[in-house]
Structures are given as structure tokens and as C-alpha cells.
Amino acid sequence: MEYRLLGGTGLRVSRLCFGALTIGPLQAGLSPEEGARVIRSALELGVNFIDTAELYGTYEHIRLALRGWPDPVVIATKSYAYTREGMRESLDRARRALGRECLELFLLHEQESAETIRGHWPALEYLLEAKAKGWVRAVGISTHWVGCVRAASRLAEVEVIHPLINRRGLGIQGGSREEMLEAIREAARAGKGIYAMKALGGGLIREEVPASFAFLLAQPEIAAVAVGMRSVEEVRLNVHYFAALGGEGGAFPPEEVAAWERKVAAAERRLVMDEGCTGCGSCVQCCPQGALTLVGGQVRVEAQRCILCGYCGAACPRFLLRIV
Ligand code: SF4
Ligand code: SF4
């Protein structure tokens, strides 16, 4: 496994970051014990970086995976809190649930612009105070928006940016793939640590996995790539791809890789909607991609826009939306 320094944070992270959204209740719905087994298999293969968020509901999975693990692991989490008090609660909850005195990375979740960051400033200030107390090591933002990466790169308080970027440019908001890459370069020049999200556009381009990873790993500004993994086979496959692309040779024999590829391809993800929509619109409001609309009081998904993040599932009061 190859490791990189994450900007100026001093954190050394594996280029493959375990994206913990996928194992949780918004997607595969693994139990904490099952999810811990998947995470642990990644740690055993050299992954030392886990990305989660308060929304994902995977703190317990991660806590169990780390029980007795002897080596340092970098955990990044995120919160939508925008007030000081809200962020204090989020950080307390994360530290308690993960059983850690200090969280390596705490991000403002899903920022959209300079204005959104300004609106979250009290929460950001609280994180900076928490950093001074040793409760957080570095502070940052996650975003799907090109303009937000640019805005964050000009803020000294933001040390890490987690932008949406992938080979096909799926899900990027407010600009093209090239414009997002230029914004990322600008951020890296400003000393920000960058780790990418939605490398596979939420799983839509699974058949192009090695090429998609190769595209991101070839960008020198991107220290690591968060990839959602929900099975031990998927972990091994991704470790194999990263090792091969990093010039270390494949990590596993070709026949094992071929068997895992078949298994993972057979378990493609999709968004399902159960009956019973009341047309309340909560999911429409929360979709970062504008993929949901209400038609005749019923929600409709535009599959080409959906990046399978599962956030709509958390917003639905009737639990009708799920990634399977
Ligand atoms: S429809 Fe749901 S899963 Fe798809 S992008 Fe929107 S919030 Fe994410
Ligand atoms: S949140 Fe649930 S009930 Fe409300 S519009 Fe969306 S799917 Fe329908």
C-alpha cells in the first residue's frame, strides 16, 4: 500500500481510504460486527484511513473494527452542524461513539459555496477551539461544488478538502471535471490536503473501476481516494487495483481477482423506492444532485443524476428509499 502526506496536516494516509457510508444503514445495512469485519480486512491489508460522517451511522462499526488494532488509523468524520452548540454535540458524540480522545479529521459536511461556509462559521470556530484542546487534529470541508473548493482553498482555517471528482465527471456541481481538477490544483498549491470522494460516481461506472482509480491516482494533488466497500472481496479487489496501479504489482493471484470481480459485479448497487410515498418532498430537498422530483405527489428519480449516496434515505420519514 502506498501512503501520502495529507497536505500540511502531518497525517500520513493510505491512498486507498475506506469509505464507511456503504456498510451502514443508508446502504448495505451491515450489522456493526459484519461491518467491523470488512473494515478490519482493509486494515490488515494496509489501509490506515477511514472516512465516515455522523449521517452514515457507522461509528459503532468503526469502533469495533479498531478494537485491539495496534497501529495508528486516521479517521475522518463530518457533521452538518452549523452552530457552535451543534458542533460541540457532534464532536462529543463522535469521540464518545468511536472511543477516541482525538479525531484526526473533522469536516463540515456537504458545503456548497463560500456563503455556505460562512453560514457554518460558528461550527468551524468551535472545531478550531477543539483542535487547540487536542480533540481534533485537522479541520476541513467536503463538497460536490467546484466553486466551494476554490473558496475553501482561500481560507487558512480549512486544512483538508474532500471534493467529488471522478473520471467521468459524474455528480460534479457548478463546473466540469477539468474545472474541478483545476480547483483541486489551486487548493493543493494553497497547502490543503485533498482526498477524493465518489471515485466511481457512486458505483455507476463499476465496469471501469481500474481506469477510474488510475485517473485519480495519477493526480499528484490527490493524496487519497475514499472508496465505499461493503464486502471483504471488494476490499481485496480494491487493494489489488491500488497496488497494481501504484507499481507494486497486483496484491493477489489473477484467478482470485477474477472470482472477486465476478462476485462484486453481481452485487451492483441501485436505489430502490418502496410504496407509500406521501409526497412530503424531504428527500427532494436533501438530494445533492437534484436527482429527485415530485410528479403528481410522488417522488421520481432521474437515474442519470443519482450518485447512489443514499442521503435521501436518511431524509425520508417513512424509510422508503434505500440503496441495495
Ligand atoms: S437520489 Fe438519493 S441516492 Fe441518488 S443522489 Fe439523490 S440523495 Fe443520493
Ligand atoms: S421523503 Fe419519503 S415520503 Fe417524502 S417525498 Fe421522499 S420518498 Fe416520499
Side-chain angles (χ1 to χ4, degrees):
M1 181 64 62
E2 199 191 340
Y3 300 85
R4 289 274 173 93
L5 280 174
L6 188 59
T9 62
L11 296 165
R12 187 173 159 274
V13 294
S14 53
R15 294 208 83 191
L16 177 58
C17 168
F18 187 98
L21 165 65
T22 317
I23 54 174
L26 298 180
Q27 299 211 359
L30 302 189
S31 69
E33 292 74 19
E34 289 168 331
R37 195 172 69 83
V38 179
I39 298 172
R40 190 71 173 225
S41 72
L43 300 178
E44 285 163 356
L45 291 169
V47 172
N48 77 343
F49 189 12
I50 301 171
D51 174 75
T52 187
E54 190 165 89
L55 177 77
Y56 301 170
T58 52
Y59 287 160
E60 181 62 3
H61 305 63
I62 297 169
R63 190 186 69 78
L64 292 178
L66 293 179
R67 205 162 50 179
W69 183 252
D71 301 321
V73 173
V74 174
I75 300 180
T77 190
K78 328 175 187 78
S79 159
Y80 289 115
Y82 54 92
T83 62
R84 202 187 149 72
E85 185 55 20
M87 188 52 89
R88 188 187 65 70
E89 285 169 14
S90 274
L91 178 57
D92 282 357
R93 206 158 28 238
R95 291 171 69 224
R96 220 177 19 251
L98 289 161
R100 288 164 88 93
E101 181 63 21
C102 175
L103 294 176
E104 287 75 16
L105 293 174
F106 211 108
L107 313 183
L108 301 179
H109 202 160
E110 264 197 276
Q111 298 298 291
E112 293 182 358
S113 62
E115 214 164 72
T116 324
I117 299 175
R118 257 197 309 278
H120 288 68
W121 204 258
L124 184 65
E125 277 182 337
Y126 180 79
L127 286 178
L128 295 172
E129 286 169 27
K131 184 180 160 188
K133 289 180 177 147
W135 296 343
V136 171
R137 176 96 179 257
V139 170
I141 65 148
S142 72
T143 185
H144 298 182
W145 291 80
V146 173
C148 192
V149 173
R150 293 213 176 98
S153 62
R154 292 192 273 271
L155 294 172
E157 292 83 355
V158 173
E159 300 165 271
V160 173
I161 302 176
H162 183 34
L164 188 157
I165 176 76
N166 55 60
R167 181 164 162 261
R168 288 230 205 140
L170 290 170
I172 295 171
Q173 302 290 306
S176 64
R177 183 191 83 172
E178 293 316 313
E179 286 167 321
M180 181 59 101
L181 281 176
E182 192 40 56
I184 286 172
R185 286 182 203 115
E186 186 183 326
R189 282 195 296 275
K192 310 304 180 194
I194 312 283
Y195 72 106
M197 72 162 99
K198 300 281 180 274
L200 307 177
L204 291 175
I205 47 180
R206 203 154 239 303
E207 70 282 5
E208 300 168 20
V209 171
S212 303
F213 289 160
F215 167 77
L216 291 175
L217 293 175
Q219 312 299 328
E221 298 81 12
I222 297 177
V225 180
V227 184
M229 300 176 249
R230 57 179 174 178
S231 68
V232 172
E233 287 82 5
E234 232 174 320
V235 168
R236 290 182 180 157
L237 209 43
N238 290 332
V239 168
H240 176 83
Y241 292 143
F242 271 60
L245 293 166
E248 303 163 34
F252 296 99
E255 57 282 5
E256 280 186 55
V257 171
W260 297 332
E261 279 174 337
R262 281 195 297 277
K263 193 164 173 187
V264 168
E268 286 300 349
R269 294 171 208 170
R270 65 201 163 87
L271 176 66
V272 294
M273 277 182 284
D274 293 336
E275 298 285 314
C277 175
T278 60
C280 73
S282 298
C283 58
V284 177
Q285 295 295 323
C286 90
C287 174
Q289 299 304 126
L292 298 173
T293 43
L294 283 175
V295 180
Q298 295 285 295
V299 76
R300 293 275 180 279
V301 62
E302 196 182 328
Q304 288 307 309
R305 298 178 79 100
C306 173
I307 55 169
L308 301 176
C309 63
Y311 290 5
C312 51
C316 178
R318 298 173 66 90
F319 309 106
L320 300 177
L321 297 152
R322 287 171 293 126
I323 304 291
V324 296

